[in-house]
Amino acid sequence: MATPKFKRAIVVGASSGIGRELTIQLAKQGTSVVAVGRRMDRLAMLAESADGRVFPLQHDVTIYDSVPLAFQEATKMLDGLDLVIYASGVMPEVGFHEFNFEKDKAMVDVNLLGAIAWLNLAAERMEQTKHGSIVAIGSVAGDRGRSGNPVYNTTKAALATYMEAIRNRVARHDVKVCLVKPGPVATEMTANLGIKNAMPVEEAATKILKVADKNGEFYLKFAHRIAFFIVRNIPSWIFRRLKI
Amino acid sequence: MSEDHQEKRVIPNSRMARLEGFGRNLGADGYVFRPYHISDIKDAFQMAREAGMQITLRGAGRSYGDANIGSECIILDLCRMNQIYSFNRKTGEIDCGAGVTIEQLWRTGMEDGWWPPVVSGTMAPTLGGALAMNIHGKNAFAAGTLGEHVIEMDVFCPNGDIRTLTPASPLFSAVISSAGLLGVITRVKLQMKRISSGDLRVLPISCKNWEEQFAAFEENRESADYMVAWIDTFGRGEQAGRGLFHAGFYTQEPPHSPTLHPDHQDLPDTILGFFPKSVVWRFLKKFNNRFCMRMLNWAKHVSGRLLGNGRPHLQSMVGFSFLLDYVPNWRRAYEPYGFIQYQSFVPEEFAREVFRQMVEMQQVRKLESFLAVMKRHRSDGFLFSHGVDGYSLALDFKLTKKNRAAIWQLAHDMNGLVVKAGGRFYLAKDSTLRSEDFVLSVGKEAVAQFFRAKRELDPDNLLTSNLAKRIGLDAPGG
C-alpha cells in the first residue's frame, strides 16, 4: 500500500453519515483513525470491518468538559495526529412556522459548540506542532439565512466563520484548515427530507478527502460553486421574496 | 465517553511541541516540561501516572535519531538542571546537575588546567544525555567512554527511589548506556582530566587507502592522546579508504599558560576574519549533492596530501575537539529532509574488511556518505556499550524525497555486516536499527539484564522513547 496522505486521523461523528464513510475511506487508504461517536455498537462494527486501523472512542460532543480528555486519549491511541475531521451534525425537521428552542439548541450544541470544543484543541495543538489538517463539514445551507431552517443555517454560517478565523490564526504555522460545504448528501440525516439528486455519501467522502490537506472553503460540485456564488450575492430584499 | 479513562488527568495542550532528533529525519509530538529541580521530576512522574502516559527524557537534543523523542509522551527536557554545585580545583572533581553541558564543563575547568575527560564532536550535549548514551570522543582508545570517569551520580528512579550510584553499584553500568530508560540522572560527580596547556600538537597524515589508515592508527596508538581520521568514501579500488588521519598530543606549558584562557579557545565566528560563519550552512546547502561532495572530498584529500602532510602543528583543544561547532547550524545544509548518521563499531580483526564492504555497498548503490569519520575504541563493561576493541566508522547520509527507503535498506544491509563481525551500534546516532539486530549486537543476556533492572527501577514502564519502541526496549517486563 502506498503511504497514506494522512497517517493518523480523528473523525468526530463517525457512527453514521459522512463521518462514517470518511472513516472507512481513510482506513482503506492506510490511515489509523480514532472514530469518535455516541453509538458504541456502530463504532465497534466499523472497527471490526476496518482491518485494525479504526479505534472506536465513545463520546458525546455536547458534554464539552469531557472533550479535552477524549482528545488526549485519541491522540495517544494514534501516537500523534495529522488530521481532525469534525463531522458531527444534526438537522431536525423544522416546520415553516415552527420556532422550537429545544431543536435549535440541539443544533447549536452539536453543529457549532461541539465543533468549537474539538477544533479549538486541534488548532491549539497544531499551532504548537506546526503540522496537520483541520476539517469541518459545513454546508451550503450556511451561505444564506433561509426561511426553512434558520438555526441550521446559523450554525453552519457560524462554523464557516469560525473555521476562517482559526485558518487565519494557524495557517501561518503550516496547518491546513479546510471547510467543506456539501450540498444534499444521501445520509440518515437527509433520508426523511425527500431530497432528490442527493450526492452518494461515498462520492462526498472521496471529494472531502481530496481537499482535506488544503486551506480554504470547498464546494463538492462545480455547479454548487456557481449556484451559491449567485445565491450569496442576491440582494436581501430580493432573497426574502424567493422560495429557496 | 467510556468510563475507563474518566478519571485520567488532562495535560494542557499548550505543552505540546514537535520535537526532532538532531538529524531531523524523525520527529514526534510530545508534551514538553522543563524541570529545574528534582521535585519537578517527581511531579512529572506523578502526572504521567495520573494521565496514563509515558515519559521520554531529553537533554540538548543532540542524539541524531529518535532517542530523545517520544510520540504523545511527556518529554522531560533536563537542560535547566544546569547548576554546577562544586568544583575542586585541586583534584578536578566537578559536581553538577545533569543539564550541565560539555561547554560548561570545559569553561569551568580550563583556566585551572582541567578538561572534560571525554568530549563529543560538539560541546552542546548535557551530561545526563551524554551518560545515558555513554558518549565517546577522539580519545576513546585511551580514555574509553564518559561513564568510566564518573565518580558518583544521583538517579531518580520511576519507582520513587533516588539512588546514589558509584562504579561499585551493580546498577551503575546499566543506567549509564541504557538511553535514559532506567532512571533520570539528576546529579553527576565527574573526574576531569589534568592538562597544562590549552593546545594540542596535531599531526596530520594523508593516507592513500585503508591500509595506510589502519597503519596510522596502530602506529600512533601508544603515543597519541587523540586520534581521528576522515575518509573519502568516493575513493575506489587502490584508493578506497583514502583520507586524512589526525593524531593529537597533549603539550606541556608552564603553569597559568595563556593557552588556557577562554579567549584562546573560543571558536572564531568568521572565516578568514571577515566571512560570517552564521551563513556558511546556506552555501553548504547549495553544494550538498553527490557531484559537489565527490569534488569536495577529492579536494580535501588532495589538499591533505599537499599541505601540512606529516608536519605537526598546534591547535586549541576546543578547535580540535568540537569540529561540529565550527559551522553553526550546519545540519540545516541537509534541509528539508534531514540526514542520518550511521556509526558502527567493529572488532579490530574484522574492521578493515567490514568498512571496505560498507563503502563498496554505498558506491554500488550510488549512496555514498558525504562525510565519513573513523576512530579507534576499546571495550568497556557498560550494559549497552558500543565500545569494542576495534574501530568505528561514522557516516552521514543525506536524505532526499526519493532515497529514504534506499538509505534505510543500505543501513540494514550494513547492520548485517556489523552483526556478523560481532560489532556494536551507537544508540545516540541510530535511526535505523531493528530490534533483532540490536539484540544480536549486545547479546540476549544484556537485554535480559536490562529488563531485570527495568522491573526493579521502572516497574510500570514509564520511561520510554521512540528509539526504545523501535528496538524492543519498551515492552513492559521484557
Side-chain angles (χ1 to χ4, degrees):
Chain A
M1 183 181 287
T3 312
K5 200 195 268 188
F6 305 101
K7 279 188 186 165
R8 296 149 303 200
I10 299 173
V11 178
V12 185
S15 44
S16 64
I18 296 175
R20 180 178 181 276
E21 185 58 31
L22 285 167
T23 305
I24 293 169
Q25 292 196 13
L26 279 167
K28 268 189 195 154
Q29 289 173 14
T31 305
S32 298
V33 189
V34 168
V36 181
R38 275 179 305 144
R39 291 167 284 188
M40 196 58 184
D41 51 336
R42 289 186 176 208
L43 296 177
M45 276 167 58
L46 189 59
E48 259 175 45
S49 62
D51 204 19
R53 288 208 176 83
V54 173
F55 309 96
L57 180 64
Q58 192 177 26
H59 167 78
D60 181 344
V61 295
T62 63
I63 303 176
Y64 310 118
D65 288 350
S66 70
V67 175
L69 186 52
F71 185 78
Q72 180 172 295
E73 288 296 293
T75 54
K76 205 176 128 204
M77 284 185 215
L78 293 169
D79 249 4
L81 185 63
D82 304 308
L83 170 68
V84 177
I85 301 179
Y86 190 85
S88 286
V90 291
M91 187 175 68
E93 207 176 335
V94 176
F96 192 76
H97 300 288
E98 184 182 7
F99 294 92
N100 182 326
F101 183 72
E102 288 304 312
K103 287 183 182 176
D104 292 345
K105 182 172 179 298
M107 284 188 275
V108 174
D109 286 350
V110 176
N111 300 0
L112 183 59
L113 293 180
I116 293 172
W118 272 89
L119 302 185
N120 267 359
L121 291 173
E124 185 185 32
R125 175 190 165 108
M126 289 177 181
E127 185 179 12
Q128 317 276 343
T129 61
K130 303 197 183 338
H131 70 102
S133 290
I134 300 171
V135 178
I137 311 299
S139 171
V140 294
D143 279 0
R144 289 305 291 258
R146 292 197 254 169
S147 54
N149 196 337
V151 176
Y152 186 75
N153 296 165
T154 305
T155 58
K156 293 299 182 182
L159 184 62
T161 306
Y162 168 76
M163 290 295 278
E164 183 184 17
I166 62 166
R167 185 181 309 123
N168 294 341
R169 275 193 175 189
V170 300
R172 69 195 73 180
H173 299 293
D174 218 15
V175 178
K176 310 296 179 197
V177 181
C178 165
L179 179 80
V180 184
K181 294 180 173 180
V185 175
T187 63
E188 283 173 38
M189 191 170 86
T190 59
N192 300 325
L193 301 180
I195 295 169
K196 290 174 192 166
N197 300 325
M199 181 185 279
V201 69
E202 296 82 4
E203 185 186 343
T206 305
K207 287 184 170 177
I208 291 167
L209 290 181
K210 267 189 189 157
V211 296
D213 60 344
K214 292 183 168 63
N215 270 316
E217 295 186 358
F218 300 92
Y219 294 95
L220 297 187
K221 282 184 175 175
F222 182 70
H224 284 173
R225 270 167 64 186
I226 306 293
F228 283 92
F229 175 78
I230 296 166
V231 168
R232 283 199 313 274
N233 289 288
I234 296 172
S236 186
W237 60 273
I238 296 176
F239 197 75
R240 78 176 77 117
R241 289 172 170 79
L242 301 175
K243 288 186 177 174
I244 54 173
Chain B
M1 186 188 299
S2 58
E3 283 179 11
D4 60 328
H5 52 254
Q6 199 68 53
E7 300 302 318
K8 283 183 185 167
R9 179 168 169 179
V10 175
I11 300 176
N13 225 351
S14 55
R15 288 284 181 179
M16 182 53 69
R18 178 79 174 169
L19 297 172
E20 292 173 325
F22 190 70
R24 307 187 81 170
N25 64 72
L26 298 166
D29 303 335
Y31 301 88
V32 180
F33 288 82
R34 296 185 172 87
Y36 63 89
H37 189 263
I38 201 158
S39 61
D40 295 336
I41 297 175
K42 213 179 273 184
D43 291 347
F45 276 86
Q46 184 59 26
M47 179 169 62
R49 283 179 206 281
E50 289 172 9
M53 292 210 172
Q54 289 178 290
I55 289 180
T56 298
L57 304 181
R58 185 176 169 99
R62 291 290 166 143
S63 283
Y64 286 77
D66 49 3
N68 50 28
I69 57 175
S71 299
E72 301 304 310
C73 291
I74 293 168
I75 312 293
L76 283 189
D77 175 339
L78 293 147
C79 287
R80 286 186 190 162
M81 296 188 68
N82 59 354
Q83 198 180 347
I84 294 173
Y85 305 122
S86 70
F87 175 50
N88 187 325
R89 290 178 169 78
K90 285 187 182 146
T91 63
E93 287 179 13
I94 189 163
D95 194 356
C96 44
V100 164
T101 62
I102 292 171
E103 178 174 13
Q104 280 177 276
L105 285 184
W106 77 256
R107 284 193 187 280
T108 304
M110 195 83 192
E111 282 164 297
D112 294 300
W114 297 100
W115 177 255
V118 168
V119 298
S120 44
T122 163
M123 59 178 100
T126 61
L127 260 182
L131 286 172
M133 294 306 178
N134 201 16
I135 64 162
H136 66 264
K138 299 175 184 73
N139 57 353
F141 62 98
T145 49
L146 184 63
E148 294 178 54
H149 305 271
V150 173
I151 299 163
E152 65 174 35
M153 60 182 187
D154 286 349
V155 179
F156 176 89
C157 308
N159 66 5
D161 292 355
I162 297 170
R163 299 194 184 190
T164 300
L165 302 180
T166 67
S169 316
L171 287 168
F172 180 84
S173 62
V175 172
I176 292 177
S177 81
S178 58
L181 298 172
L182 292 178
V184 188
I185 299 170
T186 57
R187 183 188 68 91
V188 181
K189 194 183 222 184
L190 190 74
Q191 178 60 56
M192 300 274 271
K193 161 84 184 162
R194 179 53 109 183
I195 53 170
S196 67
S197 165
D199 282 341
L200 289 173
R201 185 165 55 83
V202 178
L203 171 67
I205 300 172
S206 177
C207 300
K208 285 182 193 161
N209 50 36
W210 289 116
E211 294 298 317
E212 290 192 10
Q213 293 278 14
F214 283 95
F217 273 97
E218 293 307 318
E219 276 166 24
N220 289 280
R221 198 171 146 204
E222 293 301 320
S223 55
D225 297 299
Y226 296 89
M227 294 194 292
V228 63
W230 158 79
I231 311 282
D232 174 6
T233 56
F234 292 93
R236 287 167 180 267
E238 291 294 301
Q239 293 199 23
R242 71 188 179 193
L244 193 58
F245 167 88
H246 282 104
F249 304 84
Y250 291 122
T251 55
Q252 301 298 320
E253 292 258 357
H256 311 296
S257 161
T259 60
L260 296 172
H261 291 176
D263 288 353
H264 180 76
Q265 295 294 330
D266 276 331
L267 297 171
D269 52 12
T270 55
I271 295 173
L272 301 173
F274 70 95
F275 194 78
K277 280 186 180 175
S278 55
V279 296
V280 168
W281 69 267
R282 294 177 190 277
F283 292 92
L284 277 180
K285 193 175 173 190
K286 301 279 179 216
F287 294 105
N288 201 0
N289 57 62
R290 189 166 173 257
F291 174 76
C292 291
M293 282 297 153
R294 179 194 286 268
M295 292 298 118
L296 210 67
N297 272 278
W298 173 80
K300 184 169 164 59
H301 172 61
V302 171
S303 65
R305 288 206 80 73
L306 300 176
L307 307 170
N309 185 11
R311 289 201 297 275
H313 60 272
L314 289 179
Q315 190 176 9
S316 73
M317 297 280 288
V318 166
F320 180 81
S321 302
F322 304 123
L323 210 62
L324 296 179
D325 297 329
Y326 255 94
V327 178
N329 289 322
W330 62 269
R331 66 176 177 158
R332 296 195 64 182
Y334 286 101
E335 284 181 348
Y337 299 101
F339 68 104
I340 67 164
Q341 175 146 126
Y342 178 94
Q343 186 169 15
S344 54
F345 301 72
V346 181
E348 188 193 356
E349 60 267 41
F350 303 113
R352 201 166 313 185
E353 184 53 23
V354 169
F355 293 169
R356 187 188 62 74
Q357 286 184 31
M358 277 185 180
V359 171
E360 271 180 19
M361 238 181 222
Q362 296 165 36
Q363 290 173 347
V364 167
R365 300 176 197 199
K366 296 188 167 59
L367 292 171
E368 294 91 343
S369 161
F370 293 169
L371 178 66
V373 172
M374 189 162 91
K375 289 194 282 269
R376 183 75 167 88
H377 299 264
R378 71 181 194 193
S379 55
D380 58 57
F382 292 96
L383 184 63
F384 290 153
S385 173
H386 56 267
V388 295
D389 182 9
Y391 290 87
S392 74
L393 186 63
L395 306 158
D396 284 9
F397 293 101
K398 182 187 179 182
L399 295 173
T400 65
K401 196 175 182 180
K402 291 180 182 165
N403 78 357
R404 194 174 173 102
I407 291 284
W408 253 249
Q409 187 57 50
L410 173 69
H412 292 159
D413 294 345
M414 293 195 295
N415 287 349
L417 297 174
V418 176
V419 167
K420 209 170 151 191
R424 295 277 179 124
F425 304 100
Y426 191 14
L427 299 182
K429 304 257 174 109
D430 181 61
S431 301
T432 61
L433 197 57
R434 294 174 295 196
S435 60
E436 57 267 32
D437 288 333
F438 174 69
V439 174
L440 284 172
S441 71
V442 297
K444 281 183 182 168
E445 177 45 35
V447 176
Q449 202 183 327
F450 168 81
F451 281 111
R452 280 198 294 277
K454 185 87 173 162
R455 279 192 290 274
E456 182 184 344
L457 302 178
D458 182 16
D460 300 328
N461 193 35
L462 289 179
L463 284 172
T464 190
S465 65
N466 283 7
L467 169 85
K469 290 174 188 167
R470 176 162 57 83
I471 62 172
L473 297 180
D474 183 57

